[in-house]
Amino acid sequence: MSRPTPQCPIRPGEPCTLCQAYVTGPEDCQTVKLVMEDEDLRAELAVKRRQHRERMRQAQGGP
Ligand code: SF4
């Protein structure tokens, strides 16, 4: 049985594509680590996640 594809924590709604060198997933992705360690980038990510949730809700016919 195969594992489900993990989601990229910094690209809301997208799977991890192993786009960084020597990465095995989000767990050891240095890009994710850098974003999570930076207050401004974390805030920007929160905005992107909210926008993604909003798009998903609209796509599903929500208010
Ligand atoms: S390697 Fe890192 S930045 Fe690239 S898709 Fe996976 S988690 Fe996201």
Side-chain angles (χ1 to χ4, degrees), residues 8-11 16-20 23 26 29 32:
C8 174
I10 58 175
R11 293 180 179 149
C16 173
T17 58
L18 304 178
C19 68
Q20 304 297 312
V23 161
C29 176
V32 170

Side-chain angles (χ1 to χ4, degrees), residues 39-59:
E39 195 175 325
D40 292 339
L41 291 177
R42 259 199 335 267
E44 201 172 312
L45 178 57
V47 171
K48 282 178 178 276
R49 284 179 172 165
R50 250 195 316 277
Q51 290 171 338
H52 175 67
R53 278 197 303 272
E54 182 63 27
R55 276 197 304 274
M56 295 304 289
R57 195 167 54 230
Q58 287 175 354

Side-chain angles (χ1 to χ4, degrees), residues 3-7 9 16 18 23-30 32-33:
R3 272 180 28 183
T5 305
Q7 296 291 298
C16 173
L18 304 178
V23 161
T24 63
E27 308 80 34
D28 61 359
C29 176
Q30 292 303 304
V32 170
K33 186 171 184 279

